[in-house]
Amino acid sequence: MKLFSCLMALLLFLLQAVPGLGLAKDTLRCVGYHGFCFHSKSCPEPFAAFGTCSRRQKTCCIGMCGN
C-alpha cells in the first residue's frame, strides 16, 4: 500500500505538468505532502486524513513512503 501511495503522488505530480489539467489547490497541497485523494471520508490503514482533495469532494490521505 505504501508503494501505491507513492505512485499515486508521482502520477498527480506529473499531471500538473500537462497543460489544461490544472488541479485544485487542495489537491496540490495534498500531493505536496506525498498524499493521495481517496473517495471515502476515512482513509485506509495505515494512512491518516490530512484535509480534502478535488475541491472538498474527496479526502487527502497521507502515509509514510519508504519506511
Side-chain angles (χ1 to χ4, degrees):
M1 195 68 171
K2 291 178 184 180
L3 178 63
F4 174 74
S5 66
C6 291
L7 290 175
M8 288 300 295
L10 178 63
L11 175 66
L12 288 173
F13 177 76
L14 292 175
L15 284 175
Q16 294 178 51
V18 177
L21 287 181
L23 297 175
K25 288 183 181 180
D26 58 352
T27 303
L28 292 175
R29 181 174 174 252
C30 182
V31 172
Y33 284 97
H34 306 288
F36 65 95
C37 297
F38 194 65
H39 58 70
S40 178
K41 293 291 182 191
S42 60
C43 298
E45 293 285 334
F47 301 99
F50 183 72
T52 62
C53 290
S54 302
R55 294 176 180 86
R56 298 184 181 179
Q57 295 176 0
K58 296 181 180 180
T59 303
C60 175
C61 299
I62 60 171
M64 298 292 289
C65 291
N67 287 338

